[in-house]
Amino acid sequence: MADRARVLLVDDREENLIALEAILSSLDVVPIRARSGEEALKALLSTDFALILLDVRMPGMDGFETAAHIKRRERTRNIPIIFLTVVDSAPDYAFRGYAAGAVDYLTKPFDPWVLRAKVAVFVELYTMNRRLSEQAALLRERLSNELPDGGDHASVLAELAGRVTAVEDELRRVRELAEKSADAPLNGAVAELSDRVAHLRAGFDALG
């Protein structure tokens, strides 16, 4: 999988977008800018994103309204959203952010290391999910196309076993990162992915 994960940066202020790009520059991601909620929704029509960093205070369509549109779309409803806003925002902003479907909520000025760490783990989860989907598709294809035709069952199963094990090994590494962060949303996402990997392993073990 050669494609680098994309992160959507949504903020109406140029200096904030520049700062976010600088924070993420050490990560292997492609930052995509949007200067408004409308621009963000347009970008989401044709591009897959690992994560959205969404400013709350924007003219016109604000962050909450933008998030509501994102969560209503089948294509984008599962993309994690981290809300960003200034520290003097209304006291109910955090509650509204989580109610709108955000996985996290950070106030400016935020610690660049904290944001970078959160983005890194969500990108890892996104990459893991994509790899898991690819392995599951490969498993179905190989089982349906090769095994019934009298192919080399042992070699096919050995190859698939190696692929499943590789996914499990990478999942353990991501789980360790999430546990160290003690971040509830991250650990919840890892737990959900762990269930998917466990189902894949159970299905594979049933073959043998």
Side-chain angles (χ1 to χ4, degrees):
M1 183 169 22
D3 289 345
R4 296 162 64 197
R6 294 172 174 82
V7 178
L8 183 59
L9 314 178
V10 189
D11 199 302
D12 62 300
R13 300 175 66 89
E14 177 72 13
E15 61 269 27
N16 290 341
L17 292 170
I18 293 173
L20 288 173
E21 288 178 338
I23 290 172
L24 303 184
S25 62
S26 62
L27 301 179
D28 188 26
V29 300
V30 178
I32 304 294
R33 292 185 178 193
R35 295 290 299 269
S36 66
E38 291 83 359
E39 278 190 27
L41 295 176
K42 184 176 180 180
L44 288 161
L45 287 174
S46 58
T47 305
D48 293 326
F49 290 95
L51 179 68
I52 302 169
L53 302 182
L54 179 57
D55 186 42
V56 170
R57 291 182 173 179
M58 294 185 293
M61 185 184 297
D62 67 13
F64 299 126
E65 188 178 355
T66 303
H69 283 288
I70 292 170
K71 294 302 179 182
R72 279 198 293 264
R73 293 179 177 177
E74 180 68 28
R75 172 185 170 87
T76 58
R77 65 177 52 173
N78 293 321
I79 302 176
I81 298 173
I82 297 179
F83 272 126
L84 306 174
T85 193
V86 294
V87 71
D88 64 344
S89 298
D92 66 337
Y93 268 23
F95 173 79
R96 290 179 63 191
Y98 290 119
V103 296
D104 213 338
Y105 185 96
L106 297 178
T107 55
K108 306 172 186 176
F110 45 77
D111 187 334
W113 293 97
V114 171
L115 178 61
R116 189 182 300 114
K118 290 178 181 291
V119 170
V121 176
F122 276 111
V123 168
E124 285 277 5
L125 289 173
Y126 170 79
T127 303
M128 281 287 298
N129 269 300
R130 291 179 65 188
R131 184 170 293 115
L132 180 58
S133 296
E134 290 175 356
Q135 301 304 337
L138 176 64
L139 176 61
R140 288 192 297 268
E141 180 182 358
R142 297 295 291 274
L143 292 179
S144 62
N145 293 341
E146 297 192 24
L147 296 187
D149 298 331
D152 186 353
H153 292 207
S155 65
V156 172
L157 291 176
E159 177 189 346
L160 295 175
R163 291 177 179 272
V164 174
T165 299
V167 171
E168 291 172 328
D169 289 343
E170 189 166 353
L171 176 61
R172 277 190 287 272
R173 182 173 61 82
V174 175
R175 186 186 294 117
E176 289 173 358
L177 288 173
E179 288 174 349
K180 288 178 181 178
S181 73
D183 188 296
L186 289 181
N187 280 286
V190 170
E192 182 178 344
L193 182 58
S194 296
D195 288 340
R196 291 189 63 196
V197 174
H199 285 305
L200 180 62
R201 167 58 73 180
F204 179 79
D205 288 344
L207 298 174

